[in-house]
Each structure stands twice: as structure tokens, then as C-alpha cells.
């Protein structure tokens, strides 16, 4: 069992859940121990089990154990290990001090009271994404993971990519949930609810529900969305073709004029945000074309503009996307015209 080990990240050895015992009775974290010739390792001795149970109890003593209201209930690694080791009672007093929950981001919510200090989010943000928006602060029992100087996550160079949420084993970082807005829209008779599905979702959603890896589920997704109350459903690939055409024209124009060249482009809003934060001098070299998500929203709302007036309706665009950065992109002020957003 482990919390802090991840195959793509550096070794950290924080959680100690992978503790093992050797033939001489020594215990150590297996993730950071170099193998030696003749070494004998035992992974499930009574001593090891006792230590792991104690470690879990200590983690849970510092943890906000409001599991019934947690988004990760049923998928929380801490919860699963507590069940696996049969921990029903915590011998240590629960810490009463509670830190404020950070809801400033458009993409994620940070709850430091559920953090177990495994450091996965810190390392993925620094080592994989190259952003470094999160780090450790303070020492000992006061230690916590936080943006620099105690700022809110929205006040630092976070690009809203959500990779910290992927590696977090508990509910300390969750995706900001907009489901209630969807339900409000589909039950409002004055709304024309239109969905768009990103290509990556076709396969990822199938795997989430236990289908064979690689199986395309677009038919099932469309059927499900229609059943929920969506009026129309489209594939974002349609808008991707339009983006390619627009970018090609922009490329030819820049090439002809010889200005702001070369031209950089990406449909990833996290990439764009990273470029804006770290390379502001290159902003004029980034394509001015909207991403497929935003292109679709703008086109479909223009298409239904007259019909909406005739029928006294409002067209609402809901995206099913594989990345939390798309939430932040949809909320950017340049994608709102006369109080009408391209993507809702």
C-alpha cells in the first residue's frame, strides 16, 4: 500500500505506508530502499501490519473525516486502506483546528483539512507540469501544502490543468462541480440545451464504466445526454476542423506579412495560460483563433440567434471535456460578448 509513490514522480518516502521488514527485523520504506545482494524482504509480517495500522491512525487523526459529504467517497485511497486494515476506531484525538477551503480556482477546490501531506500534487506540478504552483510550508505538525505566501490558488501561476487532482489520493483536491447548473438548464423549458463532446471523452468514459480500453462510446454518450434532457449533441471534432481552417489562414497571413512569426498554437487552455504566465513576450506569436470548444460555442449560438428570438429561448452550450482547464477557458472574459458566453 502507498500514498506518496507514483511511477512518474520522484521518490519522496513521505507516507511510510510501503514499510517492509528485513530478515534482521529492520523496517524501512520500500520505495526509497536500494536493493542489495542477499537481502530478504517480508511485506506482510505482524510488525509491518501493526506499523501500517498506526500510520493510518495518525493520518486519520489529522484528517477531516467527513466522508459522507466528500466527493471522493468510494474512490478515496485513504478510505480504502482504512477498510482494508479494519480501522474502525482512532485512538488519537482529532485535531480541532480547521483551515479555510480554497474555492478561488475555476477548475479545482482545495481542502487542506483532507490533505495527508503525501506531496504528490507538489511533485506533479513541479516535475511534470513545470508550473510549481504548490509547495510545502512550515514544519512539523504545522506543515501544510499551499501556494506561495498563503495565497489562494487562483492568485498564483496555476494553469488549471487539474493534474494535482489526478494524483491526489484523498479529497484534498477535487474538481469544481458544475452539475447543478446542468440540471437547472435541462429542466428550464426556456433553454435550448446543446452539448458538445470532446474526442478523448469517447474512450475515457468507456474505460470508467469498465468497457474494453479503446472502445468508442460516442453513441452511448449521446443517448445518455439525450435521456438527461439535452436537446442536441455534437462532436467537438466539427469545430476542430473549423479551427484548423482559421489557423491556416492566419498562418498564411503572418507568413505573407512577415510579422509575429513563427506562429504557435494549441487547443489546450492550460498550455495557453502557461505561455501567458511564463513567456509573455511571445503572446503575439500565439494564434488568435479560438480553441475548438470556444469555436463551437460561438458558432452554434450565432446559428440559433434568430431562432432563439422567434421562440423566446436561450441557447445553452455545455461541454463534456477531458480537462479541468476547459472550465477556466470557458470563463475567460474575452469569450463573452454582450453578457453572452460562448460556452456556459
Amino acid at each position: 500500500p502507498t500514498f506518496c509513490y507514483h511511477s512518474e514522480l520522484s521518490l519522496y518516502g513521505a507516507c511510510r505506508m510501503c514499510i517492509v521488514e528485513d530478515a534482521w527485523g529492520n523496517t524501512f520504506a520500500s520505495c526509497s530502499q536500494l536493493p542489495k545482494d542477499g537481502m530478504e524482504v517480508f511485506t506482510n509480517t505482524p510488525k509491518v501490519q501493526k506499523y501500517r495500522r498506526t500510520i493510518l491512525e495518525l493520518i486519520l487523526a489529522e484528517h477531516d473525516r467527513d466522508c459522507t459529504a466528500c466527493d471522493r467517497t468510494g474512490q478515496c485511497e485513504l478510505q480504502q486502506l482504512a477498510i482494508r486494515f479494519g480501522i474502525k476506531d482512532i485512538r488519537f484525538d482529532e485535531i480541532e483546528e480547521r483551515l479555510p477551503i480554497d474555492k478561488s480556482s475555476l477548475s479545482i477546490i482545495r481542502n487542506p483539512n483532507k490533505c495527508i501531506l503525501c506531496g504528490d500534487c507538489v511533485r506533479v506540478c513541479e516535475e511534470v507540469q513545470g508550473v510549481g504552483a504548490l509547495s510545502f510550508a512550515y514544519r512539523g505538525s504545522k506543515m501544510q501544502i499551499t501556494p506561495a505566501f498563503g495565497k489562494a490558488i487562483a492568485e498564483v501561476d496555476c494553469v488549471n490543468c487539474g493534474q494535482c487532482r489526478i494524483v491526489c489520493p484523498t479529497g484534498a483536491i477535487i474538481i469544481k462541480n458544475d452539475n447543478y447548473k446542468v440540471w437547472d438548464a435541462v429542466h428550464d423549458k426556456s433553454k435550448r440545451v446543446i452539448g458538445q463532446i470532446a474526442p478523448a471523452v469517447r474512450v475515457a468514459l468507456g474505460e470508467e464504466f469498465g468497457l474494453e480500453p479503446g472502445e468508442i462510446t460516442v453513441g452511448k454518450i449521446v443517448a445518455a445526454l439525450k435521456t438527461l434532457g439535452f436537446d442536441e449533441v455534437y462532436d467537438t471534432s466539427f469545430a476542430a476542423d473549423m479551427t484548423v481552417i482559421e489557423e491556416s489562414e492566419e498562418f498564411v497571413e503572418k507568413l505573407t506579412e512577415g510579422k509575429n512569426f513563427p506562429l504557435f498554437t494549441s487547443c489546450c487552455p492550460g498550455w495557453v495560460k502557461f505561455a501567458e504566465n511564463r513567456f509573455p513576450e511571445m503572446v503575439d506569436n500565439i494564434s488568435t483563433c479560438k480553441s475548438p470548444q470556444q469555436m463551437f460555442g460561438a458558432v452554434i449560438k450565432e446559428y440559433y440567434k434568430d431562432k432563439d428570438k422567434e421562440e423566446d429561448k436561450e441557447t445553452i452550450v455545455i461541454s463534456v471535456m477531458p480537462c479541468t482547464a476547459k472550465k477556466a477557458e470557458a470563463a475567460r472574459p474575452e469569450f463573452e460578448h454582450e453578457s453572452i458566453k460562448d460556452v456556459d
Side-chain angles (χ1 to χ4, degrees):
T2 179
F3 290 121
C4 70
Y5 176 78
H6 196 283
S7 60
E8 294 184 20
L9 306 178
S10 61
L11 295 177
Y12 184 56
C15 71
R16 319 306 287 182
M17 280 302 296
C18 67
I19 194 168
V20 292
E21 184 179 2
D22 65 15
W24 295 276
N26 300 314
T27 57
F28 47 85
S30 60
C31 67
S32 56
Q33 179 70 33
L34 293 174
K36 299 175 184 177
D37 186 30
M39 178 186 282
E40 285 186 77
V41 177
F42 302 94
T43 62
N44 204 32
T45 64
K47 181 194 282 189
V48 166
Q49 288 200 40
K50 177 184 176 183
Y51 285 0
R52 287 177 183 163
R53 285 175 57 86
T54 303
I55 291 166
L56 273 173
E57 284 187 78
L58 288 166
I59 291 173
L60 287 165
E62 291 189 331
H63 191 71
D64 178 1
R65 299 197 293 273
D66 187 16
C67 296
T68 54
C70 179
D71 278 45
R72 291 299 299 275
T73 290
Q75 296 179 314
C76 173
E77 293 174 39
L78 178 60
Q79 188 182 54
Q80 290 168 358
L81 284 177
I83 294 170
R84 172 175 162 183
F85 284 91
I87 296 176
K88 305 293 183 183
D89 300 307
I90 312 299
R91 291 172 291 168
F92 312 108
D93 292 335
E94 188 174 356
I95 294 177
E96 294 182 1
E97 182 186 359
R98 287 288 170 240
L99 298 169
I101 297 173
D102 184 356
K103 298 181 180 180
S104 63
S105 169
L106 294 164
S107 301
I108 60 170
I109 295 174
R110 292 181 57 254
N111 185 348
N113 304 302
K114 293 183 181 292
C115 178
I116 60 172
L117 301 175
C118 66
D120 287 357
C121 58
V122 174
R123 286 175 291 143
V124 77
C125 191
E126 177 63 40
E127 298 170 10
V128 178
Q129 299 304 91
V131 176
L134 292 168
S135 190
F136 287 95
Y138 314 114
R139 292 178 177 274
S141 62
K142 299 293 184 182
M143 183 179 285
Q144 58 179 279
I145 290 175
T146 176
F149 308 111
K151 291 183 177 182
I153 191 69
E155 296 174 340
V156 296
D157 279 356
C158 173
V159 298
N160 299 291
C161 67
Q163 296 302 300
C164 54
R165 157 61 185 85
I166 290 175
V167 299
C168 179
T170 67
I173 302 176
I174 60 173
I175 297 173
K176 185 163 279 189
N177 194 324
D178 294 303
N179 287 354
Y180 70 95
K181 296 179 183 177
V182 177
W183 286 118
D184 287 346
V186 296
H187 289 296
D188 188 338
K189 300 301 181 184
S190 68
K191 312 286 188 191
R192 186 193 320 277
V193 180
I194 296 179
Q196 61 167 318
I197 310 168
V201 175
R202 306 172 193 162
V203 173
L205 203 57
E207 290 186 21
E208 176 68 20
F209 284 94
L211 299 180
E212 287 295 318
E215 185 174 337
I216 295 175
T217 60
V218 65
K220 293 181 175 65
I221 298 171
V222 171
L225 292 177
K226 286 277 196 174
T227 303
L228 288 173
F230 281 62
D231 295 297
E232 296 176 14
V233 183
Y234 293 88
D235 192 326
T236 309
S237 297
F238 157 70
D241 291 342
M242 299 174 67
T243 301
V244 169
I245 293 169
E246 291 295 322
E247 286 177 343
S248 299
E249 292 182 0
E250 186 177 15
F251 176 79
V252 171
E253 185 179 321
K254 284 183 178 289
L255 189 61
T256 304
E257 295 178 355
K259 292 196 313 185
N260 298 327
F261 204 75
L263 176 68
F264 297 105
T265 180
S266 175
C267 296
C268 171
W271 184 94
V272 173
K273 184 68 174 173
F274 182 84
E276 290 172 337
N277 289 345
R278 298 297 176 88
F279 304 98
E281 70 279 6
M282 302 296 289
V283 167
D284 290 337
N285 295 80
I286 299 175
S287 172
T288 60
C289 296
K290 296 180 178 182
S291 72
Q293 171 181 251
Q294 299 305 127
M295 186 82 74
F296 175 84
V299 168
I300 207 73
K301 289 201 173 183
E302 182 64 28
Y303 178 79
Y304 277 110
K305 190 175 182 180
D306 293 335
K307 197 171 182 180
D308 283 349
K309 285 183 179 178
E310 290 174 13
E311 300 178 1
D312 195 24
K313 282 195 170 187
E314 179 187 2
T315 294
I316 300 293
V317 176
I318 297 171
S319 302
V320 185
M321 295 282 144
C323 174
T324 58
K326 289 294 183 182
K327 290 178 178 288
E329 180 185 47
R332 288 183 68 129
E334 62 265 37
F335 297 134
E336 184 174 322
H337 309 280
E338 298 178 357
S339 301
I340 298 174
K341 297 168 69 176
D342 291 345
V343 174
D344 299 283

